[in-house]
Amino acid sequence: MSFAAKDIKVYREDEKAGHRNIGVKERERLVQNYLPDPPTRARSRSRKREHETSHFGIRKFLRSQLYSFMYIFVHAIFSVYIRIRVAYHAVSLRILSILKYHHNTPDYVRRDVSTLKRLPKHVSVILTLEDGGRAGDALEKLVNEASEVAAWCASAGIPRLSIYERTGVLKRYMPQTHRALVQKLKSWFGKRQAPPVSLSTRGASTIYTANREYFAHDQVPLEVVLISEDDGREAMVDLTKVLVQMVQKEKITTSDITQDVLDNELSEAVMPEPDLLISFEPYVDLQGYPPWPIRLTEIYCAPDNQGVGYQVFLRGLRKYTEATFKLGK
């Protein structure tokens, strides 16, 4: 409620006179008409009673039960959906593995990829060391999976395969890994028809197949590159140190360091950029994969998949065929 003009005039004149024109009681009576009515005891008691009732009463109990029911209902619906999705993917992958089983024969793989419009020149896969290597046969299983993927790539005519394993355990057993690759290709193609395979990694000498001149000339050589988590961070650090030293010695200038230079140097130090990256995990998990080489790479992951399988590899090739690459100007 706004003050009346008469009351405002009286108050202002009293204020100018140093509050000597009217007394204290008269000033209280002046503003009394403009104060709100004080709350009654009955109203305050009823509000307190309502607060206590809502705090300890039935409404709070019903509200909590409603929230619990909604929480359980949403989780039940989501759990049913997840189980149905996992079952569907498991059945579909199982049926595809039966219908498209390669029988360790390159001709079956060539037949499966013959309908594809294009094939990647460089395929990269992410393999995982089971239980962190604590299991006794974890390393043997990992080498066998790498050999299987190499046989699929050789059969499909893919010339380059890069295998990423986070810990880099395969790098410590390069001769054994190369021997397993050669044996796997011989079991698939035959002793004289198997393509030559080379195995390389950053900071180590490349291992080639012995007596390569005796292999069939119509077979496409397979180049296998082993990479790990260290090839991302350490490669960038080493390249940075080299470029800094060259700038300090005035061999190059800072303007000479461009994105193309970095791309070429990293490609030579680690590997060229893959066309297709396949993860055999049930969800996309790069596990520390070097980020620089996969800027334009097509990444494929089969939802709810478990383990390395030919059907996932074949689906990845089909996904690459259907992909559209827009590199811009």
Side-chain angles (χ1 to χ4, degrees), residues 119-127 145-146 149-150 152-153 158-166 222-228 231 270-281 285-286 288-301 308 312-313 316-317 320:
L119 288 174
K121 299 298 182 182
H122 181 185
V123 172
S124 184
V125 296
I126 299 177
L127 301 182
E145 291 174 348
V149 178
W152 302 337
C153 290
I158 299 173
R160 179 176 291 147
L161 168 66
S162 57
I163 301 175
Y164 175 82
E165 195 280 319
R166 185 169 189 171
L222 179 63
E223 178 185 354
V224 180
V225 182
L226 301 179
I227 57 177
S228 64
D231 293 320
V270 182
M271 66 174 185
E273 186 172 4
D275 301 316
L276 174 65
L277 173 61
I278 301 177
S279 174
F280 295 98
E281 297 296 323
D285 184 12
L286 298 182
Y289 196 101
W292 189 271
I294 55 174
R295 295 169 299 157
L296 304 175
T297 301
E298 181 70 19
I299 300 176
Y300 176 75
C301 172
V308 178
V312 178
F313 174 80
L317 297 181
Y320 175 81

Short mmCIF file of all heavy atoms in Angstrom, two decimals, residues 119-127 145-146 149-150 152-153 158-166 222-228 231 270-281 285-286 288-301 308 312-313 316-317 320:
data_model
loop_
_atom_site.label_atom_id
_atom_site.label_comp_id
_atom_site.label_asym_id
_atom_site.label_seq_id
_atom_site.Cartn_x
_atom_site.Cartn_y
_atom_site.Cartn_z
N LEU A 119 37.69 -52.45 -51.40
CA LEU A 119 38.31 -53.03 -50.21
C LEU A 119 39.36 -52.05 -49.67
O LEU A 119 40.01 -51.35 -50.44
CB LEU A 119 38.98 -54.36 -50.55
CG LEU A 119 38.06 -55.55 -50.82
CD1 LEU A 119 38.88 -56.76 -51.27
CD2 LEU A 119 37.24 -55.91 -49.60
N PRO A 120 39.53 -52.01 -48.38
CA PRO A 120 40.57 -51.14 -47.82
C PRO A 120 41.95 -51.67 -48.14
O PRO A 120 42.17 -52.88 -48.20
CB PRO A 120 40.27 -51.16 -46.31
CG PRO A 120 39.57 -52.46 -46.09
CD PRO A 120 38.76 -52.72 -47.32
N LYS A 121 42.89 -50.77 -48.33
CA LYS A 121 44.27 -51.15 -48.55
C LYS A 121 45.01 -51.39 -47.24
O LYS A 121 46.03 -52.08 -47.23
CB LYS A 121 44.98 -50.05 -49.35
CG LYS A 121 44.38 -49.80 -50.72
CD LYS A 121 44.45 -51.02 -51.60
CE LYS A 121 43.89 -50.74 -52.99
NZ LYS A 121 43.91 -51.94 -53.86
N HIS A 122 44.48 -50.83 -46.18
CA HIS A 122 45.13 -50.96 -44.88
C HIS A 122 44.05 -51.17 -43.82
O HIS A 122 43.19 -50.30 -43.61
CB HIS A 122 45.97 -49.71 -44.57
CG HIS A 122 46.68 -49.78 -43.26
ND1 HIS A 122 47.41 -48.72 -42.74
CD2 HIS A 122 46.80 -50.79 -42.34
CE1 HIS A 122 47.92 -49.06 -41.58
NE2 HIS A 122 47.57 -50.31 -41.31
N VAL A 123 44.07 -52.31 -43.16
CA VAL A 123 43.13 -52.64 -42.10
C VAL A 123 43.89 -52.69 -40.78
O VAL A 123 44.98 -53.27 -40.71
CB VAL A 123 42.42 -53.98 -42.36
CG1 VAL A 123 41.58 -54.40 -41.16
CG2 VAL A 123 41.54 -53.88 -43.59
N SER A 124 43.31 -52.11 -39.76
CA SER A 124 43.88 -52.15 -38.42
C SER A 124 42.87 -52.79 -37.48
O SER A 124 41.67 -52.53 -37.58
CB SER A 124 44.24 -50.74 -37.94
OG SER A 124 44.88 -50.78 -36.68
N VAL A 125 43.35 -53.63 -36.57
CA VAL A 125 42.48 -54.30 -35.61
C VAL A 125 43.02 -54.07 -34.21
O VAL A 125 44.22 -53.86 -34.00
CB VAL A 125 42.39 -55.82 -35.89
CG1 VAL A 125 41.75 -56.08 -37.23
CG2 VAL A 125 43.76 -56.47 -35.81
N ILE A 126 42.10 -54.09 -33.24
CA ILE A 126 42.45 -53.94 -31.83
C ILE A 126 42.24 -55.29 -31.16
O ILE A 126 41.13 -55.82 -31.13
CB ILE A 126 41.58 -52.87 -31.16
CG1 ILE A 126 41.80 -51.51 -31.82
CG2 ILE A 126 41.89 -52.78 -29.67
CD1 ILE A 126 40.92 -50.41 -31.25
N LEU A 127 43.33 -55.86 -30.65
CA LEU A 127 43.28 -57.13 -29.93
C LEU A 127 43.59 -56.88 -28.46
O LEU A 127 44.32 -55.95 -28.12
CB LEU A 127 44.27 -58.13 -30.52
CG LEU A 127 44.08 -58.47 -32.01
CD1 LEU A 127 45.11 -59.51 -32.45
CD2 LEU A 127 42.66 -58.96 -32.29
N GLU A 145 45.02 -65.28 -32.51
CA GLU A 145 44.05 -64.32 -33.06
C GLU A 145 44.70 -63.42 -34.10
O GLU A 145 44.10 -63.14 -35.15
CB GLU A 145 43.47 -63.48 -31.93
CG GLU A 145 42.56 -64.26 -30.98
CD GLU A 145 42.12 -63.43 -29.79
OE1 GLU A 145 42.68 -62.34 -29.57
OE2 GLU A 145 41.20 -63.87 -29.06
N ALA A 146 45.93 -62.98 -33.84
CA ALA A 146 46.64 -62.16 -34.81
C ALA A 146 46.89 -62.94 -36.11
O ALA A 146 46.76 -62.39 -37.21
CB ALA A 146 47.96 -61.67 -34.23
N VAL A 149 43.54 -63.18 -38.15
CA VAL A 149 43.22 -61.94 -38.86
C VAL A 149 44.15 -61.75 -40.05
O VAL A 149 43.73 -61.29 -41.12
CB VAL A 149 43.30 -60.74 -37.89
CG1 VAL A 149 43.00 -59.45 -38.63
CG2 VAL A 149 42.31 -60.91 -36.75
N ALA A 150 45.41 -62.10 -39.89
CA ALA A 150 46.36 -61.99 -41.00
C ALA A 150 45.96 -62.90 -42.16
O ALA A 150 46.05 -62.51 -43.33
CB ALA A 150 47.77 -62.32 -40.53
N TRP A 152 42.89 -63.83 -42.88
CA TRP A 152 41.71 -63.23 -43.51
C TRP A 152 42.11 -62.10 -44.46
O TRP A 152 41.59 -62.02 -45.57
CB TRP A 152 40.75 -62.69 -42.45
CG TRP A 152 40.28 -63.71 -41.46
CD1 TRP A 152 40.24 -65.07 -41.65
CD2 TRP A 152 39.79 -63.48 -40.14
NE1 TRP A 152 39.77 -65.69 -40.52
CE2 TRP A 152 39.48 -64.75 -39.58
CE3 TRP A 152 39.59 -62.35 -39.37
CZ2 TRP A 152 38.97 -64.87 -38.29
CZ3 TRP A 152 39.08 -62.47 -38.08
CH2 TRP A 152 38.78 -63.72 -37.55
N CYS A 153 43.02 -61.25 -44.01
CA CYS A 153 43.46 -60.14 -44.85
C CYS A 153 44.18 -60.64 -46.11
O CYS A 153 43.96 -60.13 -47.21
CB CYS A 153 44.38 -59.21 -44.06
SG CYS A 153 43.54 -58.26 -42.77
N ILE A 158 44.07 -57.89 -49.02
CA ILE A 158 44.41 -56.64 -48.33
C ILE A 158 45.90 -56.67 -48.05
O ILE A 158 46.39 -57.55 -47.33
CB ILE A 158 43.60 -56.51 -47.03
CG1 ILE A 158 42.10 -56.48 -47.35
CG2 ILE A 158 44.00 -55.26 -46.26
CD1 ILE A 158 41.20 -56.52 -46.13
N PRO A 159 46.67 -55.72 -48.56
CA PRO A 159 48.14 -55.83 -48.48
C PRO A 159 48.74 -55.42 -47.14
O PRO A 159 49.89 -55.79 -46.87
CB PRO A 159 48.61 -54.87 -49.58
CG PRO A 159 47.51 -53.86 -49.70
CD PRO A 159 46.23 -54.59 -49.40
N ARG A 160 48.03 -54.67 -46.31
CA ARG A 160 48.65 -54.19 -45.07
C ARG A 160 47.69 -54.39 -43.90
O ARG A 160 46.50 -54.08 -43.98
CB ARG A 160 49.04 -52.72 -45.18
CG ARG A 160 49.66 -52.13 -43.91
CD ARG A 160 50.12 -50.71 -44.15
NE ARG A 160 51.25 -50.67 -45.06
CZ ARG A 160 51.48 -49.68 -45.93
NH1 ARG A 160 50.66 -48.67 -46.00
NH2 ARG A 160 52.53 -49.73 -46.72
N LEU A 161 48.24 -54.89 -42.80
CA LEU A 161 47.48 -55.11 -41.57
C LEU A 161 48.29 -54.57 -40.40
O LEU A 161 49.47 -54.90 -40.25
CB LEU A 161 47.21 -56.61 -41.37
CG LEU A 161 46.69 -57.03 -39.99
CD1 LEU A 161 45.29 -56.47 -39.75
CD2 LEU A 161 46.69 -58.55 -39.85
N SER A 162 47.68 -53.75 -39.59
CA SER A 162 48.30 -53.27 -38.36
C SER A 162 47.52 -53.82 -37.17
O SER A 162 46.29 -53.76 -37.15
CB SER A 162 48.35 -51.74 -38.32
OG SER A 162 47.05 -51.19 -38.45
N ILE A 163 48.25 -54.36 -36.21
CA ILE A 163 47.65 -55.01 -35.05
C ILE A 163 48.00 -54.18 -33.82
O ILE A 163 49.19 -54.01 -33.50
CB ILE A 163 48.16 -56.45 -34.89
CG1 ILE A 163 47.82 -57.26 -36.15
CG2 ILE A 163 47.56 -57.10 -33.66
CD1 ILE A 163 48.40 -58.66 -36.14
N TYR A 164 46.98 -53.69 -33.16
CA TYR A 164 47.19 -52.89 -31.94
C TYR A 164 46.88 -53.74 -30.72
O TYR A 164 45.81 -54.33 -30.60
CB TYR A 164 46.28 -51.66 -31.95
CG TYR A 164 46.37 -50.86 -30.66
CD1 TYR A 164 47.40 -49.96 -30.44
CD2 TYR A 164 45.42 -51.03 -29.65
CE1 TYR A 164 47.49 -49.24 -29.27
CE2 TYR A 164 45.51 -50.31 -28.47
CZ TYR A 164 46.54 -49.42 -28.28
OH TYR A 164 46.63 -48.71 -27.11
N GLU A 165 47.85 -53.82 -29.83
CA GLU A 165 47.67 -54.45 -28.53
C GLU A 165 48.25 -53.50 -27.50
O GLU A 165 49.40 -53.08 -27.61
CB GLU A 165 48.37 -55.81 -28.50
CG GLU A 165 47.94 -56.68 -27.33
CD GLU A 165 48.63 -56.29 -26.04
OE1 GLU A 165 49.84 -56.00 -26.10
OE2 GLU A 165 47.97 -56.26 -24.98
N ARG A 166 47.48 -53.14 -26.52
CA ARG A 166 47.81 -52.00 -25.65
C ARG A 166 49.16 -52.15 -24.95
O ARG A 166 49.95 -51.22 -24.90
CB ARG A 166 46.70 -51.82 -24.62
CG ARG A 166 46.87 -50.61 -23.74
CD ARG A 166 45.63 -50.33 -22.94
NE ARG A 166 45.71 -49.06 -22.24
CZ ARG A 166 44.70 -48.49 -21.61
NH1 ARG A 166 43.53 -49.08 -21.59
NH2 ARG A 166 44.85 -47.33 -21.01
N LEU A 222 51.98 -59.62 -47.75
CA LEU A 222 51.25 -59.07 -46.61
C LEU A 222 52.23 -58.39 -45.66
O LEU A 222 53.21 -59.01 -45.22
CB LEU A 222 50.49 -60.18 -45.87
CG LEU A 222 49.71 -59.73 -44.62
CD1 LEU A 222 48.62 -58.75 -44.99
CD2 LEU A 222 49.12 -60.95 -43.90
N GLU A 223 51.97 -57.14 -45.37
CA GLU A 223 52.79 -56.37 -44.44
C GLU A 223 52.03 -56.21 -43.12
O GLU A 223 50.93 -55.65 -43.10
CB GLU A 223 53.12 -54.99 -45.02
CG GLU A 223 53.94 -54.11 -44.09
CD GLU A 223 54.14 -52.72 -44.64
OE1 GLU A 223 53.75 -52.48 -45.81
OE2 GLU A 223 54.68 -51.86 -43.91
N VAL A 224 52.59 -56.71 -42.05
CA VAL A 224 51.97 -56.65 -40.72
C VAL A 224 52.79 -55.71 -39.85
O VAL A 224 54.01 -55.84 -39.75
CB VAL A 224 51.88 -58.05 -40.08
CG1 VAL A 224 51.22 -57.96 -38.70
CG2 VAL A 224 51.11 -59.01 -40.98
N VAL A 225 52.10 -54.78 -39.22
CA VAL A 225 52.73 -53.79 -38.34
C VAL A 225 52.17 -53.96 -36.94
O VAL A 225 50.94 -54.01 -36.75
CB VAL A 225 52.50 -52.35 -38.85
CG1 VAL A 225 53.21 -51.34 -37.95
CG2 VAL A 225 52.95 -52.21 -40.29
N LEU A 226 53.04 -54.04 -35.96
CA LEU A 226 52.63 -54.14 -34.55
C LEU A 226 52.74 -52.77 -33.90
O LEU A 226 53.79 -52.12 -33.98
CB LEU A 226 53.51 -55.14 -33.81
CG LEU A 226 53.53 -56.58 -34.34
CD1 LEU A 226 54.47 -57.44 -33.50
CD2 LEU A 226 52.13 -57.18 -34.37
N ILE A 227 51.68 -52.34 -33.26
CA ILE A 227 51.67 -51.06 -32.56
C ILE A 227 51.09 -51.25 -31.16
O ILE A 227 50.38 -52.23 -30.89
CB ILE A 227 50.86 -49.99 -33.32
CG1 ILE A 227 49.42 -50.47 -33.55
CG2 ILE A 227 51.53 -49.62 -34.63
CD1 ILE A 227 48.54 -49.45 -34.23
N SER A 228 51.40 -50.31 -30.30
CA SER A 228 50.91 -50.36 -28.92
C SER A 228 50.63 -48.94 -28.45
O SER A 228 50.73 -47.98 -29.21
CB SER A 228 51.93 -51.05 -28.00
OG SER A 228 53.12 -50.29 -27.94
N ASP A 231 53.31 -46.15 -28.93
CA ASP A 231 53.56 -45.58 -30.25
C ASP A 231 52.82 -44.27 -30.48
O ASP A 231 53.10 -43.58 -31.45
CB ASP A 231 53.16 -46.58 -31.35
CG ASP A 231 54.06 -47.80 -31.36
OD1 ASP A 231 55.28 -47.61 -31.18
OD2 ASP A 231 53.56 -48.92 -31.53
N VAL A 270 55.73 -44.58 -37.44
CA VAL A 270 54.81 -45.59 -36.87
C VAL A 270 54.20 -46.41 -38.00
O VAL A 270 54.54 -47.57 -38.20
CB VAL A 270 53.71 -44.91 -36.02
CG1 VAL A 270 52.81 -45.96 -35.39
CG2 VAL A 270 54.35 -44.05 -34.93
N MET A 271 53.28 -45.80 -38.73
CA MET A 271 52.61 -46.50 -39.83
C MET A 271 51.74 -45.50 -40.57
O MET A 271 51.36 -44.46 -40.02
CB MET A 271 51.73 -47.66 -39.30
CG MET A 271 50.56 -47.18 -38.47
SD MET A 271 49.43 -48.49 -38.01
CE MET A 271 48.13 -47.54 -37.20
N PRO A 272 51.38 -45.79 -41.84
CA PRO A 272 50.43 -44.93 -42.55
C PRO A 272 49.04 -45.04 -41.93
O PRO A 272 48.74 -45.96 -41.16
CB PRO A 272 50.46 -45.48 -43.98
CG PRO A 272 51.70 -46.30 -44.07
CD PRO A 272 51.96 -46.83 -42.70
N GLU A 273 48.20 -44.10 -42.27
CA GLU A 273 46.85 -44.08 -41.72
C GLU A 273 46.02 -45.24 -42.26
O GLU A 273 45.95 -45.45 -43.47
CB GLU A 273 46.16 -42.76 -42.08
CG GLU A 273 44.80 -42.58 -41.44
CD GLU A 273 44.25 -41.19 -41.65
OE1 GLU A 273 44.90 -40.40 -42.35
OE2 GLU A 273 43.18 -40.88 -41.11
N PRO A 274 45.39 -46.04 -41.39
CA PRO A 274 44.58 -47.16 -41.87
C PRO A 274 43.26 -46.68 -42.47
O PRO A 274 42.74 -45.62 -42.10
CB PRO A 274 44.34 -48.00 -40.61
CG PRO A 274 44.46 -47.03 -39.48
CD PRO A 274 45.47 -46.00 -39.92
N ASP A 275 42.74 -47.45 -43.40
CA ASP A 275 41.44 -47.14 -43.99
C ASP A 275 40.29 -47.61 -43.11
O ASP A 275 39.23 -46.97 -43.07
CB ASP A 275 41.32 -47.80 -45.37
CG ASP A 275 42.40 -47.33 -46.32
OD1 ASP A 275 42.67 -46.11 -46.36
OD2 ASP A 275 42.99 -48.17 -47.01
N LEU A 276 40.51 -48.72 -42.42
CA LEU A 276 39.45 -49.32 -41.60
C LEU A 276 40.04 -49.81 -40.28
O LEU A 276 41.08 -50.47 -40.28
CB LEU A 276 38.79 -50.49 -42.34
CG LEU A 276 37.76 -51.33 -41.57
CD1 LEU A 276 36.55 -50.49 -41.21
CD2 LEU A 276 37.35 -52.55 -42.39
N LEU A 277 39.39 -49.47 -39.19
CA LEU A 277 39.78 -49.93 -37.86
C LEU A 277 38.65 -50.77 -37.30
O LEU A 277 37.51 -50.31 -37.19
CB LEU A 277 40.07 -48.75 -36.94
CG LEU A 277 40.34 -49.08 -35.46
CD1 LEU A 277 41.56 -49.98 -35.32
CD2 LEU A 277 40.51 -47.80 -34.64
N ILE A 278 38.95 -52.02 -36.94
CA ILE A 278 37.95 -52.95 -36.43
C ILE A 278 38.24 -53.24 -34.97
O ILE A 278 39.37 -53.62 -34.61
CB ILE A 278 37.93 -54.26 -37.24
CG1 ILE A 278 37.62 -53.97 -38.71
CG2 ILE A 278 36.91 -55.23 -36.67
CD1 ILE A 278 37.66 -55.21 -39.59
N SER A 279 37.24 -53.06 -34.13
CA SER A 279 37.34 -53.40 -32.71
C SER A 279 36.42 -54.59 -32.45
O SER A 279 35.23 -54.56 -32.81
CB SER A 279 36.92 -52.21 -31.84
OG SER A 279 36.90 -52.58 -30.47
N PHE A 280 36.96 -55.63 -31.84
CA PHE A 280 36.19 -56.83 -31.55
C PHE A 280 35.54 -56.79 -30.17
O PHE A 280 35.02 -57.81 -29.70
CB PHE A 280 37.08 -58.07 -31.67
CG PHE A 280 37.59 -58.32 -33.06
CD1 PHE A 280 38.86 -57.90 -33.43
CD2 PHE A 280 36.80 -58.95 -34.00
CE1 PHE A 280 39.34 -58.13 -34.70
CE2 PHE A 280 37.26 -59.17 -35.29
CZ PHE A 280 38.54 -58.76 -35.64
N GLU A 281 35.58 -55.64 -29.52
CA GLU A 281 34.94 -55.47 -28.22
C GLU A 281 33.43 -55.25 -28.41
O GLU A 281 32.98 -54.87 -29.50
CB GLU A 281 35.56 -54.30 -27.47
CG GLU A 281 37.03 -54.47 -27.15
CD GLU A 281 37.28 -55.63 -26.20
OE1 GLU A 281 36.45 -55.84 -25.29
OE2 GLU A 281 38.29 -56.32 -26.37
N ASP A 285 35.94 -49.21 -27.93
CA ASP A 285 36.95 -48.98 -26.91
C ASP A 285 38.30 -48.97 -27.61
O ASP A 285 38.84 -50.03 -27.95
CB ASP A 285 36.89 -50.06 -25.83
CG ASP A 285 37.88 -49.80 -24.70
OD1 ASP A 285 38.44 -48.68 -24.65
OD2 ASP A 285 38.09 -50.70 -23.87
N LEU A 286 38.86 -47.78 -27.83
CA LEU A 286 40.12 -47.67 -28.55
C LEU A 286 41.32 -48.07 -27.70
O LEU A 286 42.41 -48.29 -28.23
CB LEU A 286 40.30 -46.23 -29.06
CG LEU A 286 39.23 -45.76 -30.06
CD1 LEU A 286 39.53 -44.35 -30.52
CD2 LEU A 286 39.13 -46.70 -31.24
N GLY A 288 43.49 -46.58 -25.85
CA GLY A 288 44.72 -45.82 -25.99
C GLY A 288 45.34 -45.89 -27.37
O GLY A 288 46.54 -45.63 -27.52
N TYR A 289 44.55 -46.24 -28.37
CA TYR A 289 45.06 -46.31 -29.75
C TYR A 289 45.62 -44.94 -30.15
O TYR A 289 45.02 -43.91 -29.85
CB TYR A 289 43.93 -46.71 -30.69
CG TYR A 289 44.36 -47.17 -32.06
CD1 TYR A 289 44.42 -48.51 -32.38
CD2 TYR A 289 44.71 -46.25 -33.05
CE1 TYR A 289 44.81 -48.93 -33.64
CE2 TYR A 289 45.10 -46.66 -34.31
CZ TYR A 289 45.15 -48.00 -34.60
OH TYR A 289 45.54 -48.41 -35.85
N PRO A 290 46.78 -44.90 -30.83
CA PRO A 290 47.34 -43.60 -31.23
C PRO A 290 46.34 -42.78 -32.02
O PRO A 290 45.81 -43.25 -33.04
CB PRO A 290 48.55 -44.00 -32.10
CG PRO A 290 48.94 -45.34 -31.59
CD PRO A 290 47.65 -46.02 -31.19
N PRO A 291 46.03 -41.56 -31.57
CA PRO A 291 44.95 -40.80 -32.22
C PRO A 291 45.33 -40.21 -33.57
O PRO A 291 44.45 -40.00 -34.42
CB PRO A 291 44.65 -39.69 -31.20
CG PRO A 291 45.94 -39.51 -30.47
CD PRO A 291 46.59 -40.86 -30.41
N TRP A 292 46.61 -39.93 -33.77
CA TRP A 292 47.00 -39.24 -35.00
C TRP A 292 46.70 -40.06 -36.26
O TRP A 292 46.21 -39.52 -37.25
CB TRP A 292 48.49 -38.87 -34.94
CG TRP A 292 48.92 -37.98 -36.07
CD1 TRP A 292 49.38 -38.35 -37.29
CD2 TRP A 292 48.89 -36.56 -36.08
NE1 TRP A 292 49.66 -37.26 -38.06
CE2 TRP A 292 49.37 -36.14 -37.35
CE3 TRP A 292 48.52 -35.59 -35.15
CZ2 TRP A 292 49.48 -34.80 -37.70
CZ3 TRP A 292 48.64 -34.25 -35.50
CH2 TRP A 292 49.11 -33.87 -36.75
N PRO A 293 46.97 -41.37 -36.31
CA PRO A 293 46.77 -42.11 -37.57
C PRO A 293 45.30 -42.39 -37.90
O PRO A 293 45.04 -42.97 -38.97
CB PRO A 293 47.53 -43.42 -37.34
CG PRO A 293 48.38 -43.19 -36.15
CD PRO A 293 47.65 -42.20 -35.32
N ILE A 294 44.35 -42.07 -37.06
CA ILE A 294 42.97 -42.47 -37.33
C ILE A 294 42.05 -41.25 -37.45
O ILE A 294 40.88 -41.30 -37.10
CB ILE A 294 42.43 -43.42 -36.24
CG1 ILE A 294 42.58 -42.80 -34.85
CG2 ILE A 294 43.13 -44.76 -36.30
CD1 ILE A 294 41.93 -43.63 -33.76
N ARG A 295 42.58 -40.16 -37.97
CA ARG A 295 41.76 -38.96 -38.13
C ARG A 295 40.62 -39.19 -39.12
O ARG A 295 39.50 -38.72 -38.92
CB ARG A 295 42.62 -37.79 -38.60
CG ARG A 295 43.68 -37.34 -37.59
CD ARG A 295 44.63 -36.39 -38.27
NE ARG A 295 45.32 -37.04 -39.38
CZ ARG A 295 45.87 -36.38 -40.40
NH1 ARG A 295 45.79 -35.08 -40.45
NH2 ARG A 295 46.49 -37.04 -41.36
N LEU A 296 40.90 -39.91 -40.21
CA LEU A 296 39.91 -40.14 -41.26
C LEU A 296 39.59 -41.62 -41.41
O LEU A 296 39.06 -42.04 -42.44
CB LEU A 296 40.43 -39.58 -42.60
CG LEU A 296 40.80 -38.09 -42.60
CD1 LEU A 296 41.42 -37.70 -43.93
CD2 LEU A 296 39.59 -37.24 -42.31
N THR A 297 39.90 -42.40 -40.41
CA THR A 297 39.71 -43.85 -40.48
C THR A 297 38.26 -44.21 -40.18
O THR A 297 37.65 -43.66 -39.26
CB THR A 297 40.63 -44.56 -39.49
OG1 THR A 297 41.99 -44.24 -39.81
CG2 THR A 297 40.46 -46.06 -39.54
N GLU A 298 37.72 -45.15 -40.93
CA GLU A 298 36.40 -45.69 -40.64
C GLU A 298 36.53 -46.71 -39.51
O GLU A 298 37.30 -47.68 -39.61
CB GLU A 298 35.82 -46.37 -41.89
CG GLU A 298 34.43 -46.94 -41.71
CD GLU A 298 33.36 -45.88 -41.55
OE1 GLU A 298 33.61 -44.72 -41.93
OE2 GLU A 298 32.27 -46.21 -41.05
N ILE A 299 35.79 -46.51 -38.42
CA ILE A 299 35.87 -47.36 -37.24
C ILE A 299 34.61 -48.22 -37.17
O ILE A 299 33.48 -47.70 -37.26
CB ILE A 299 36.02 -46.52 -35.96
CG1 ILE A 299 37.29 -45.67 -36.04
CG2 ILE A 299 36.08 -47.41 -34.73
CD1 ILE A 299 37.48 -44.74 -34.86
N TYR A 300 34.80 -49.53 -36.99
CA TYR A 300 33.65 -50.44 -36.91
C TYR A 300 33.75 -51.26 -35.63
O TYR A 300 34.82 -51.74 -35.25
CB TYR A 300 33.61 -51.39 -38.11
CG TYR A 300 32.49 -52.41 -38.00
CD1 TYR A 300 31.17 -52.04 -38.22
CD2 TYR A 300 32.76 -53.73 -37.64
CE1 TYR A 300 30.14 -52.96 -38.09
CE2 TYR A 300 31.74 -54.65 -37.52
CZ TYR A 300 30.43 -54.26 -37.74
OH TYR A 300 29.43 -55.17 -37.60
N CYS A 301 32.61 -51.43 -34.99
CA CYS A 301 32.50 -52.26 -33.79
C CYS A 301 31.13 -52.93 -33.81
O CYS A 301 30.11 -52.27 -34.04
CB CYS A 301 32.66 -51.40 -32.53
SG CYS A 301 32.32 -52.27 -30.99
N VAL A 308 37.19 -62.48 -31.05
CA VAL A 308 37.59 -62.22 -32.44
C VAL A 308 36.88 -63.23 -33.35
O VAL A 308 37.01 -64.44 -33.14
CB VAL A 308 39.12 -62.34 -32.59
CG1 VAL A 308 39.54 -62.11 -34.03
CG2 VAL A 308 39.80 -61.34 -31.66
N VAL A 312 32.59 -60.66 -37.77
CA VAL A 312 32.79 -59.25 -37.45
C VAL A 312 33.74 -58.61 -38.46
O VAL A 312 33.53 -57.47 -38.90
CB VAL A 312 33.33 -59.10 -36.01
CG1 VAL A 312 33.58 -57.63 -35.68
CG2 VAL A 312 32.36 -59.70 -35.01
N PHE A 313 34.78 -59.34 -38.84
CA PHE A 313 35.72 -58.85 -39.85
C PHE A 313 35.00 -58.60 -41.17
O PHE A 313 35.20 -57.56 -41.82
CB PHE A 313 36.84 -59.87 -40.02
CG PHE A 313 37.80 -59.56 -41.13
CD1 PHE A 313 38.81 -58.63 -40.94
CD2 PHE A 313 37.70 -60.20 -42.35
CE1 PHE A 313 39.71 -58.34 -41.97
CE2 PHE A 313 38.59 -59.92 -43.38
CZ PHE A 313 39.60 -58.99 -43.18
N GLY A 316 32.79 -55.58 -40.97
CA GLY A 316 33.58 -54.36 -41.04
C GLY A 316 33.93 -53.98 -42.46
O GLY A 316 33.89 -52.80 -42.83
N LEU A 317 34.27 -54.98 -43.30
CA LEU A 317 34.55 -54.70 -44.71
C LEU A 317 33.32 -54.18 -45.43
O LEU A 317 33.41 -53.27 -46.26
CB LEU A 317 35.07 -55.97 -45.40
CG LEU A 317 36.40 -56.54 -44.88
CD1 LEU A 317 36.79 -57.77 -45.69
CD2 LEU A 317 37.50 -55.49 -44.95
N TYR A 320 32.77 -50.59 -44.45
CA TYR A 320 33.70 -49.72 -45.16
C TYR A 320 33.22 -49.47 -46.59
O TYR A 320 33.34 -48.35 -47.11
CB TYR A 320 35.09 -50.34 -45.17
CG TYR A 320 36.09 -49.58 -46.00
CD1 TYR A 320 36.72 -48.44 -45.48
CD2 TYR A 320 36.41 -49.97 -47.29
CE1 TYR A 320 37.63 -47.73 -46.22
CE2 TYR A 320 37.33 -49.27 -48.05
CZ TYR A 320 37.93 -48.14 -47.51
OH TYR A 320 38.82 -47.44 -48.27
#
